[in-house]
């Protein structure tokens, strides 16, 4: 009898261990692996974007998010995509540094049947079938918003001397915002872009570019700056050079992103007009992944909602209510 009890006990133990093993395997099988090739960490915007993805693709929600930081280099992004395919991830998300040069890597993902979601900037692919969908900003619309504000608020009876600080050359964010200013120049004969330089979307390079420009130009009426980080750098340069700017100064500052630091400067009247670039892509991309897993058809392009902030009306409570 005793032997029988021992045998039954052993059997029950084995069954329990087997059940636990099965449950763990099922749990492991449910983890969705997502490979995310991020541009880098050049700006506050970019960090908010990475954070939004981390939050949306948390372990608690059943994801394993592998983030590869490309440090602004497309070659690193291409290597990351190849690596994700070799690892057989479930989904690939790419925030592309530039628009061109993605065909071969995307073809490899397509052949492996791995859906690719492009976020933030757009790409120019040989065929739109090479990626599943895109989520991001309408950068030309952002630029048009800024230029419309300039046309309404900076009416000049004489020429308007404009300095244009551009972002990373070849990125959709730079292309769209630059196109808008060029169109504004075309419509307004009094507008003269006296200097144009790239600060690669970073505060340090924005400052360096503005230092060079300030040495060459004694009169500047407007700084059209393609992101907040560069605007903050340019403001440092203007402070050091003893130039006044913002609502009460000589140089009107137009900026993009509306990050917390950028909007704090807007509240202080240092930036006259700040056009939002919404970095909170995570929830939308996660929703797309869930839908794709259920086999639902996904709309190809999704533009995130964005606002714009005029220093004349922006309030502390609006700043306090911001998510990033
Ligand atoms: O592509 C979005 C742009 O990239 C943001 O405006 C800029 O701050 C970032 O680095």
């Amino acid at each position: 009898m005793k032997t029988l009890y021992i045998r039954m006990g052993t059997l029950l133990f084995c069954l329990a261990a087997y059940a636990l093993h099965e449950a763990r395997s099922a749990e492991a099988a449910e983890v969705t692996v997502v490979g995310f090739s991020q541009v880098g960490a050049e700006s506050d915007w970019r960090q908010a974007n990475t954070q939004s993805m981390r939050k949306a693709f948390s372990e608690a929600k059943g994801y394993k998010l592998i983030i590869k930081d490309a440090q602004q280099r497309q070659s690193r992004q291409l290597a990351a995509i190849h690596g994700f395919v070799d690892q057989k991830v479930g989904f690939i998300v790419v925030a592309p540094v530039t628009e061109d040069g993605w065909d071969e890597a995307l073809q490899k993902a397509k052949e492996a049947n791995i859906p690719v979601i492009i976020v933030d900037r757009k790409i120019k692919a040989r065929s739109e079938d090479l990626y599943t969908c895109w989520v991001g900003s309408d950068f030309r619309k952002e630029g048009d918003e800024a230029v419309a504000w300039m046309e309404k608020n900076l009416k000049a009876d004489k020429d308007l001397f404009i300095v244009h600080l551009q972002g990373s050359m070849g990125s959709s964010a730079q292309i769209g915002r630059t196109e808008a200013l060029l169109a504004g120049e075309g419509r307004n004969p009094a507008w003269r872009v006296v200097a144009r330089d790239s600060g690669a979307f970073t505060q340090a390079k924005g400052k360096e570019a503005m230092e060079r420009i300030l040495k060459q130009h004694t009169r500047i009426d407007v700084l059209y700056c393609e992101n907040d980080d560069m605007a903050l750098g340019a403001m440092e340069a203007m402070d050091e050079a003893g130039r006044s700017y913002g609502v009460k100064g000589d140089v009107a500052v137009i900026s993009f992103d509306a990050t917390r630091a950028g909007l704090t400067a807007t509240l202080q009247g240092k930036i006259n007009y700040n056009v939002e670039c919404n970095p909170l892509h995570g929830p939308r991309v996660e929703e797309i992944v869930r839908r794709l897993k259920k086999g639902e058809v996904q709309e190809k392009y999704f533009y995130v909602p964005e606002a714009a902030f005029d220093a004349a009306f922006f309030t502390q409570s609006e700043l306090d209510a911001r998510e990033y």
Side-chain angles (χ1 to χ4, degrees):
M1 198 62 179
K2 195 178 165 195
T3 319
L4 183 67
Y5 280 143
I6 292 172
R7 281 199 182 140
M8 276 176 66
T10 311
L11 183 67
L12 283 173
F13 176 77
C14 289
L15 281 173
Y18 178 73
L20 188 67
H21 172 261
E22 284 297 286
R24 286 205 176 132
S25 311
E27 217 179 284
E30 274 170 30
V31 170
T32 304
V33 182
V34 177
F36 176 34
S37 169
Q38 176 60 291
V39 167
E42 74 282 6
S43 61
D44 284 5
W45 185 98
R46 186 66 55 199
Q47 297 187 26
N49 182 245
T50 303
Q51 207 36 45
S52 171
M53 290 289 287
R54 276 191 206 284
K55 205 170 150 198
F57 290 96
S58 64
E59 278 182 24
K61 289 188 196 157
Y63 292 103
K64 180 177 177 201
L65 181 67
I66 307 168
I67 303 182
K68 294 279 178 198
D69 178 337
Q71 295 168 15
Q72 308 294 318
R73 303 239 293 272
Q74 189 187 34
S75 56
R76 285 179 183 256
Q77 294 206 281
L78 297 174
I81 297 172
H82 283 282
F84 292 148
V85 174
D86 294 341
Q87 284 175 69
K88 299 187 172 39
V89 300
F91 295 86
I92 294 175
V93 182
V94 185
V97 63
T98 50
E99 294 192 342
D100 296 310
W102 301 97
D103 288 350
E104 195 207 321
L106 294 183
Q107 183 66 41
K108 178 166 168 169
K110 191 174 174 60
E111 281 163 15
N113 269 323
I114 302 176
V116 176
I117 301 161
I118 309 291
V119 294
D120 172 23
R121 303 169 183 174
K122 281 189 172 158
I123 61 163
K124 283 186 195 139
R126 173 169 42 76
S127 155
E128 289 189 350
D129 293 343
L130 286 180
Y131 56 93
T132 309
C133 58
W134 169 90
V135 173
S137 301
D138 187 336
F139 299 109
R140 174 62 197 264
K141 193 168 161 221
E142 290 174 0
D144 286 339
E145 185 81 49
V147 167
W149 186 90
M150 288 165 64
E151 287 177 329
K152 190 168 164 220
N153 293 278
L154 306 175
K155 290 218 174 74
D157 43 9
K158 48 187 171 48
D159 287 348
L160 201 64
F161 285 24
I162 302 170
V163 165
H164 179 190
L165 278 190
Q166 296 174 287
S168 306
M169 300 309 287
S171 67
S172 316
Q174 175 271 313
I175 293 170
R177 293 168 192 166
T178 294
E179 276 175 1
L181 183 61
L182 293 176
E185 260 185 284
R187 282 194 303 273
N188 295 278
W191 289 15
R192 287 181 52 196
V193 175
V194 292
R196 181 168 272 141
D197 204 344
S198 171
F201 285 132
T202 71
Q203 186 162 343
K205 291 204 172 116
K207 183 179 180 193
E208 279 167 29
M210 195 64 186
E211 282 169 347
R212 284 192 296 273
I213 292 166
L214 287 169
K215 282 185 190 135
Q216 290 159 6
H217 298 275
T218 44
R219 179 179 157 200
I220 300 169
D221 300 318
V222 185
L223 168 63
Y224 179 96
C225 191
E226 290 182 1
N227 87 342
D228 282 340
D229 294 75
M230 293 192 299
L232 294 172
M235 290 191 292
E236 271 175 41
M238 288 192 279
D239 284 336
E240 286 167 19
R243 305 281 190 102
S244 68
Y245 55 88
V247 176
K248 294 189 182 146
D250 292 335
V251 185
V253 180
I254 315 298
S255 186
F256 295 86
D257 281 359
T259 58
R260 184 155 292 275
L263 282 182
T264 301
T266 309
L267 190 66
Q268 293 165 343
K270 294 178 176 174
I271 292 177
N272 299 58
Y273 196 61
N274 204 330
V275 182
E276 182 184 29
C277 181
N278 183 349
L280 306 179
H281 300 153
R284 180 73 191 181
V285 179
E286 197 268 333
E287 186 193 338
I288 291 170
V289 166
R290 266 188 285 124
R291 285 211 212 141
L292 290 171
K293 280 171 73 178
K294 284 192 255 167
E296 291 175 15
V297 179
Q298 184 49 50
E299 63 191 311
K300 194 83 185 176
Y301 296 98
F302 180 83
Y303 289 94
V304 288
E306 297 181 328
F309 305 92
D310 187 330
F313 308 108
F314 190 55
T315 63
Q316 181 71 53
S317 54
E318 278 180 280
L319 178 59
D320 294 342
R322 302 282 298 164
E323 247 190 88
Y324 61 95

